[in-house]
Amino acid sequence: LNSKDLDRIACILADAITNEVLERWEFSVDVDKDVNHNSAPQKCDMKQIRESMRNVLLQIFQSVSLLPALPDCAPSFEIVLYTKKETKAPDRWVETQEQQIINQERLPLQTFNTKIHRVEGAVYYKLDL
């Protein structure tokens, strides 16, 4: 986040046997390009930021009841970080392809803003489970 290389974070839920992607929880991160290590500290309302984050977490918990039940399978999950093309990944990281869901639906989540970072989330899920 500090180097402004991160674009998105995703948690991919898949069938461990078939590798079929069942859900993808994705969070896009936009960073204020004008802010750097030498910038004056931003005045933020920490109470409002905490409340916004809490609201997003509550929405995530509540949205689980709206999603179709996952099939009876051996589930796996993977955390994927999407970075800028010119970003050098650490040696222990592995590059992967975009993992899309065939016949997906999108459920948007609330957006929150810290004045430096703007985070927009969504869950993508398979319609015909």
Side-chain angles (χ1 to χ4, degrees):
L1 283 173
N2 287 337
S3 63
K4 302 178 186 173
D5 291 332
L6 184 66
D7 287 330
R8 290 181 290 154
I9 302 169
C11 179
I12 312 293
L13 290 126
D15 183 317
I17 307 292
T18 65
N19 290 326
E20 178 184 21
V21 178
L22 305 170
E23 290 180 5
R24 187 175 80 244
W25 295 77
E26 189 171 291
F27 299 89
S28 299
V29 180
D30 293 322
V31 181
D32 184 343
K33 306 288 188 247
D34 297 330
V35 176
N36 61 42
H37 294 292
N38 299 324
S39 298
Q42 295 280 329
K43 291 200 177 208
C44 344
D45 183 349
M46 290 304 293
K47 182 178 178 183
Q48 182 181 3
I49 291 171
R50 278 193 218 83
E51 184 176 328
S52 294
M53 292 174 75
R54 185 178 63 242
N55 288 341
V56 170
L57 290 171
L58 282 171
Q59 188 181 21
I60 289 170
F61 295 138
Q62 293 168 347
S63 67
V64 171
S65 66
L66 301 173
L67 300 173
L70 292 174
D72 189 21
C73 66
S76 68
F77 76 93
E78 183 177 356
I79 303 297
V80 180
L81 303 177
Y82 296 90
T83 59
K84 307 235 180 308
K85 289 193 185 294
E86 64 274 6
T87 302
K88 179 170 176 4
D91 293 334
R92 299 177 77 190
W93 287 15
V94 177
E95 290 200 29
T96 63
Q97 298 297 319
E98 180 96 16
Q99 298 180 12
Q100 295 295 324
I101 299 173
I102 298 169
N103 194 20
Q104 73 179 7
E105 186 66 39
R106 179 179 185 268
L107 177 64
L109 300 172
Q110 290 181 15
T111 300
F112 73 91
N113 191 336
T114 68
K115 293 191 178 177
I116 297 173
H117 301 95
R118 181 177 180 276
V119 179
E120 183 175 317
V123 59
Y124 299 84
Y125 59 94
K126 190 167 181 64
L127 276 176
D128 57 356
L129 284 178

